Amino acid sequence: MSTYFSDIPAIAYEGPESTNPLSFKWYDKDRLVLGKRMEDHLRFAVCYWHSFCWNGFDPFGYDGTFERPWQRVADPMAAARMKADAAFDFFSRLGAPYYCFHDRDVAPEGSTPRESVNHLHEMVEVLQAKQAQTGMKLLWGTANLFSHRRFMSGASTNPDPEIFALAALQVKEAMDATLKLGGENYVLWGGREGYETLLNTRVGQELDQMGRFLNMVVDYKHKIGFKGTILIEPKPREPSKHQYDFDTATVYGFLQRHGLEKEIKVNIEANHATLSGHSFEHEIATAIDLGIFGSIDMNRGDMQCGWDTDQFPNNIPETALALYLILQGGGFTTGGLNFDAKVRRQSIDAEDMFHGHIGGMDVSARALLIAEQMITDGQLARHVEARYAGWNTPFGQDLMAGRLGLDQVAERALERNQDTRPVSGRQELLENLLNRYI
């Protein structure tokens, strides 16, 4: 199926003045940014599911609109191999260094659990060969524990322990596949790990089940010698009414309760962040400060819709602030920037898939250069440092070190016997400063 993209040339960097829509204007992978190649900073990944599995359907258009050739093949395994041909041809022409997949993206569900496992094993051999041929790497693998009807009441949180076991089988096999393919992370997305109504739900029991499941995952990671990072992807709702991994702070509290805060980090998606009532940068900053930042899914939502639209990013200021926070936090280690995004269902041509990814990569690259300016200039960081300077005084350090009790602090306030005037936060000045970089 490499012929599906045969009319598309390899995408090259041509610079901001280029009018060629099938070229990068800002993503120059070898350009040094803060002493590191742009490609190594951003670590772009293409998602298998939206790009090659989605057929353009929506709740009101069941038949889909895309009609990709591999989606019209009756034999599921033949279709999987053809889809892999197309996917790796796309990766190579685009020039992204990584890809990501769910187990059911690359290998079809069988009629029995054993047949499903056999399908995955066969396709892992195919993917391994294609990685060797193309130089593509796997940013992360995961298991689809939400599409099949057996998971309608959850996977690890299911009221039936036999379904819990089937979920465990899928995760075990997906982790084995990720290890064999040299994956740098493994993601857990609990799309059905939540509830629809409290009339039939034991929240405490389901949370305990989920905690037990995650401990089993971590134990298995160490058992097989997987050196990558285990990631949870927070999401507040949809498909479940309320999901237990609502946002980064909720995930951190859950990990602490189950002794996993040193073992598991988060994969933050922009669209999930906004659905939870936060901004993308809020979730990134929270994860970095809590020590659980791992990776990101770069997309955007439609603020006029109440669901996850998974659109390619196009907001440069917001992306620049997100990357500024990531760079300040030390940058990616095992994580990267995965486009959990899809072209719109009216964008039906092969070329449209390239336009979506080129745009997302250029927005991110331009935002990275802006973040570099922000860090090199240092004005924003100096404003923040000055705002909290009092905490670097002996009094501030004694407070945070626990050397003073409530009564001692209260006595100090009485001894000083004077009010302290607040200092301006200068929000408008800082917003203007951000816009000046852009």
Side-chain angles (χ1 to χ4, degrees):
M1 288 315 306
S2 60
T3 56
Y4 183 67
F5 298 114
S6 61
D7 293 335
I8 311 296
I11 309 303
Y13 170 75
E14 295 184 5
E17 303 305 318
S18 174
T19 59
N20 176 12
L22 289 173
S23 70
F24 294 119
K25 314 303 184 295
W26 296 95
Y27 180 56
D28 181 2
K29 67 177 183 178
D30 293 319
R31 177 171 176 171
L32 290 181
V33 178
L34 299 174
K36 189 175 176 179
R37 293 172 64 249
M38 185 176 278
E39 181 180 76
D40 297 331
H41 271 297
L42 296 171
R43 294 164 61 87
F44 285 128
V46 178
C47 79
Y48 217 97
W49 50 102
H50 290 322
S51 299
F52 304 100
C53 301
W54 189 47
N55 68 358
F57 75 90
D58 67 14
F60 302 97
Y62 301 115
D63 291 337
T65 58
F66 290 160
E67 297 182 339
R68 314 288 191 209
W70 57 91
Q71 293 171 345
R72 301 198 297 268
V73 176
D75 178 1
M77 284 301 289
R81 287 187 288 270
M82 294 168 68
K83 181 166 54 177
D85 289 339
F88 279 83
D89 186 32
F90 179 87
F91 302 153
S92 298
R93 292 172 190 269
L94 181 66
Y98 291 96
Y99 73 109
C100 300
F101 69 80
H102 299 84
D103 54 351
R104 297 301 185 249
D105 299 334
V106 297
E109 181 98 22
S111 58
T112 65
R114 189 170 297 281
E115 185 178 45
S116 296
V117 168
N118 290 340
H119 285 171
L120 182 60
H121 289 180
E122 182 176 336
M123 286 307 302
V124 166
E125 297 295 330
V126 172
L127 299 180
Q128 195 171 36
K130 290 191 172 296
Q131 287 184 198
Q133 292 166 6
T134 61
M136 283 296 298
K137 296 173 287 186
L138 179 63
L139 186 65
W140 50 258
T142 187
N144 181 333
L145 304 180
F146 48 89
S147 292
H148 196 282
R149 70 189 297 273
R150 76 172 68 91
F151 298 125
M152 66 182 185
S153 300
S156 69
T157 59
N158 200 284
D160 189 336
E162 296 300 341
I163 294 179
F164 180 106
L166 288 169
L169 171 63
Q170 269 191 246
V171 170
K172 181 263 183 192
E173 291 294 333
M175 290 179 72
D176 288 345
T178 301
L179 176 64
K180 187 168 185 178
L181 293 170
E184 299 185 21
N185 308 270
Y186 183 82
V187 170
L188 295 148
W189 182 61
R192 305 284 181 186
E193 309 293 40
Y195 63 84
E196 300 298 327
T197 175
L198 290 174
L199 294 173
N200 63 7
T201 303
R202 291 180 179 173
V203 171
Q205 178 168 331
E206 292 195 0
L207 288 171
D208 287 345
Q209 289 174 206
M210 188 172 168
R212 180 71 195 110
F213 194 92
L214 292 181
N215 269 284
M216 292 166 62
V217 168
V218 168
D219 289 344
Y220 189 68
K221 166 194 167 173
H222 295 304
K223 182 176 181 178
I224 63 176
F226 179 59
K227 302 302 181 185
T229 304
I230 303 295
L231 302 167
I232 286 180
E233 184 167 323
K235 187 179 183 182
R237 62 181 183 275
E238 189 257 326
S240 296
K241 174 183 174 181
H242 178 92
Q243 289 174 212
Y244 296 134
D245 51 3
F246 185 88
D247 61 6
T248 296
T250 303
V251 169
Y252 181 71
F254 180 85
L255 294 177
Q256 274 200 317
R257 177 178 178 179
H258 294 280
L260 294 168
E261 70 274 15
K262 303 297 184 185
E263 294 280 2
I264 298 178
K265 299 184 185 298
V266 286
N267 181 65
I268 299 169
E269 180 183 305
N271 205 169
H272 294 178
T274 53
L275 285 173
S276 68
H278 303 308
S279 65
F280 189 28
E281 55 267 28
H282 164 88
E283 288 290 270
I284 291 171
T286 300
I288 289 171
D289 289 343
L290 292 174
I292 58 170
F293 177 76
S295 193
I296 62 174
D297 279 359
M298 180 62 81
N299 59 21
R300 78 181 197 271
D302 186 330
M303 300 308 292
Q304 294 174 307
C305 297
W307 60 88
D308 195 357
T309 55
D310 288 325
Q311 295 172 247
F312 282 94
N314 67 357
N315 189 312
I316 293 172
E318 288 184 1
T319 307
L321 185 52
L323 291 176
Y324 171 72
L325 292 169
I326 292 170
L327 291 177
Q328 273 203 318
F332 293 115
T333 53
T334 63
L337 195 160
N338 173 53
F339 289 114
D340 186 358
K342 56 193 176 189
V343 296
R344 300 300 88 189
R345 69 191 304 267
Q346 296 179 52
S347 300
I348 59 176
D349 294 340
E351 187 174 299
D352 294 319
M353 294 174 63
F354 284 91
H355 291 316
H357 286 84
I358 289 169
M361 292 168 78
D362 266 346
V363 163
S364 301
R366 189 173 182 187
L368 179 69
L369 296 175
I370 294 169
E372 178 190 33
Q373 291 180 333
M374 294 167 69
I375 287 177
T376 302
D377 178 74
Q379 286 195 60
L380 182 57
R382 286 194 293 273
H383 277 285
V384 175
E385 185 67 26
R387 189 170 188 226
Y388 291 92
W391 291 95
N392 293 324
T393 65
F395 174 56
Q397 291 177 354
D398 286 345
L399 278 172
M400 294 307 293
R403 289 188 285 268
L404 299 172
L406 183 66
D407 54 344
Q408 293 169 300
V409 177
E411 183 61 29
R412 173 190 167 91
L414 284 177
E415 288 177 357
R416 293 183 76 240
N417 198 30
Q418 56 183 296
D419 196 6
T420 299
R421 294 180 61 82
V423 177
S424 173
R426 300 188 183 278
Q427 179 174 333
E428 292 74 18
L429 170 68
L430 300 178
E431 290 172 342
N432 293 345
L433 176 60
L434 174 62
N435 285 333
R436 194 188 81 191
Y437 294 120
I438 295 162

